[in-house]
Amino acid sequence: KQWYQRRVAITAGRPEKRNAMSLEMWYEIGEAFDELSDTSDCRAIILSGNGKMFTAGIDISAFISVVPQQSDSAHKSLSLLKTVKKLQDSFTAVEKCRKPVIAAVHGACIGGGIDLICGADIRLMSSECYMQVKEVDIGIVADVGTIQRLPKIVGNQSLVNEYCLTARKISSDEAARVGIVSRVLVDKESMIEEAVALAAQIASKSPVAVQGTKSNLVYSRDHTVQEGLDRVALWNSAMLLGGDPIVAMSGAGEFEDP
């Protein structure tokens, strides 16, 4: 992790393995976002990867290592279920993190990488990058977020079905056109600059308003319009009593860390 004035950059750090996700790296991702969610002076997070690509997906050796060794098939199933749920929780930590997360994707984003960035609030992509829901090519079902979140991001079930059933490559132009990413930048450097600028803009706002907006956006996505309205009414009935609205409307001073 690297700190920049209330912004944190989390960078996948296995470039020699194309940032393939080992079990250790997988769990570290969840732990990092859980920690930053409760870190008061962190206001925005940038998620990116070192080396030639964002991630090649799961490290195959990690996939082999999660297969239980028990002889009884029922016991083996229960043990594997527990492991899969832990892996899911690590990526759901991105979505549950109270701080906005900007995913900056370059080179390639394969398999588990798409599961990971689907939990982010904003996604940017460099022009040479492609995505691939790769799981069917290795004989498994995507099980840590893509199937559940990508249809809500894209809004086209037929197209998501095509991505998941064929494992075809998704170009940066297509990713932007269908709404997987907000925008495409010419290269990694300009994409990171854009991510840093976005994070700085978010970090300058009221942290109470920003975190509340993220919470209500995620909630409203999964509930009816009326349920979303009821929740945000309760939220603001408490938060409007605080000092941040006065600071924002008067333009006086900086917002305190909550």
Side-chain angles (χ1 to χ4, degrees):
K1 298 194 291 288
Q2 289 181 290
W3 282 85
Y4 310 90
Q5 293 183 338
R6 293 173 171 159
R7 293 160 284 154
V8 178
I10 296 179
T11 307
R14 299 183 80 207
E16 73 286 354
K17 297 286 189 180
R18 300 187 301 167
N19 294 321
M21 292 180 279
S22 64
L23 283 181
E24 181 183 12
M25 178 177 169
W26 206 298
Y27 293 138
E28 284 177 351
I29 289 170
E31 290 165 3
F33 280 98
D34 284 342
E35 178 187 343
L36 291 172
S37 184
D38 293 328
T39 302
S40 62
D41 57 346
C42 168
R43 296 193 183 181
I45 302 167
I46 300 168
L47 176 62
S48 63
N50 275 331
K52 294 182 178 179
M53 64 172 61
F54 180 73
T55 180
I58 190 170
D59 187 325
I60 296 301
S61 62
F63 173 69
I64 295 170
S65 72
V66 302
V67 178
Q69 300 305 309
Q70 295 101 316
S71 58
D72 185 272
S73 61
H75 292 183
K76 188 178 292 189
S77 260
L78 285 173
S79 179
L80 188 55
L81 175 63
K82 182 179 178 181
T83 299
V84 172
K85 293 294 288 182
K86 284 181 67 178
L87 296 174
Q88 289 177 342
D89 290 344
S90 284
F91 281 9
T92 295
V94 178
E95 182 177 273
K96 286 187 174 180
C97 179
R98 295 204 297 267
K99 317 304 167 58
V101 179
I102 302 166
V105 185
H106 79 287
C109 181
I110 298 170
I114 299 182
D115 295 284
L116 177 59
I117 68 169
C118 278
D121 303 288
I122 299 170
R123 289 167 292 276
L124 305 177
M125 198 172 187
S126 57
S127 61
E128 86 292 345
C129 187
Y130 69 90
M131 296 179 172
Q132 203 170 5
V133 186
K134 187 73 171 170
E135 281 80 356
V136 292
D137 278 350
I138 58 172
I140 63 174
V141 179
D143 59 358
V144 287
T146 293
I147 287 175
Q148 293 71 33
R149 295 187 176 100
L150 192 57
K152 296 179 179 181
I153 292 168
V154 173
N156 183 331
Q157 186 68 54
S158 176
L159 187 58
V160 173
N161 292 350
E162 180 185 331
Y163 292 156
C164 295
L165 295 171
T166 66
R168 74 167 176 84
K169 292 182 178 180
I170 307 163
S171 69
S172 58
D173 285 344
E174 182 176 359
R177 187 174 69 251
V178 303
I180 300 174
V181 298
S182 299
R183 63 185 70 89
V184 174
L185 287 303
V186 65
D187 54 25
K188 181 183 178 182
E189 183 179 359
S190 59
M191 176 189 64
I192 295 296
E193 288 176 358
E194 179 72 6
V196 170
L198 277 172
Q201 189 175 8
I202 291 168
S204 71
K205 312 295 184 185
S206 158
V208 174
V210 166
Q211 292 173 38
T213 297
K214 171 171 179 171
S215 176
N216 281 282
L217 282 167
V218 173
Y219 181 90
S220 293
R221 180 198 64 193
D222 297 331
H223 293 79
T224 66
V225 171
Q226 189 57 54
E227 288 169 335
L229 287 169
D230 291 342
R231 184 177 189 270
V232 76
L234 285 171
W235 185 283
N236 268 352
S237 68
M239 297 306 170
L240 287 176
L241 301 177
D244 280 16
I246 296 171
V247 174
M249 286 184 274
S250 67
E254 289 189 358
F255 299 101
E256 294 181 3
D257 296 324

